[in-house]
Amino acid sequence: LDGRPGLAARLLGAADAARHATGLPISPSERDELARITADVRAAEPGFDALFASGAELAPEQARSLVEGTGP
């Protein structure tokens, strides 16, 4: 989380949308890790659902700029 659960929620939404767009499956071990991380972020961020949804609307370039600290 790095102390930024809102950012994490948006990035989780962006990653989820990208996964769905590609149609690639997620491995069982990745699914377990993703579930754990998502639960941690959800617990730390009261606005998780809205932030996750807003992240899902980001283009990949926008999500990358968030990671780099130059995004919206």
Side-chain angles (χ1 to χ4, degrees):
L1 297 177
D2 193 27
R4 300 179 291 174
L7 174 61
R10 289 184 76 194
L11 292 173
L12 284 167
D16 185 65
R19 259 191 320 280
H20 282 90
T22 64
L24 295 173
I26 186 169
S27 74
S29 63
E30 290 174 321
R31 188 175 343 202
D32 291 345
E33 184 174 3
L34 179 60
R36 180 189 58 77
I37 292 167
T38 301
D40 289 347
V41 175
R42 186 180 293 277
E45 176 53 62
F48 177 87
D49 291 330
L51 290 165
F52 185 95
S54 74
E57 296 175 6
L58 295 173
E61 298 79 21
Q62 292 173 306
R64 187 173 314 124
S65 69
L66 280 176
V67 171
E68 294 168 352
T70 60

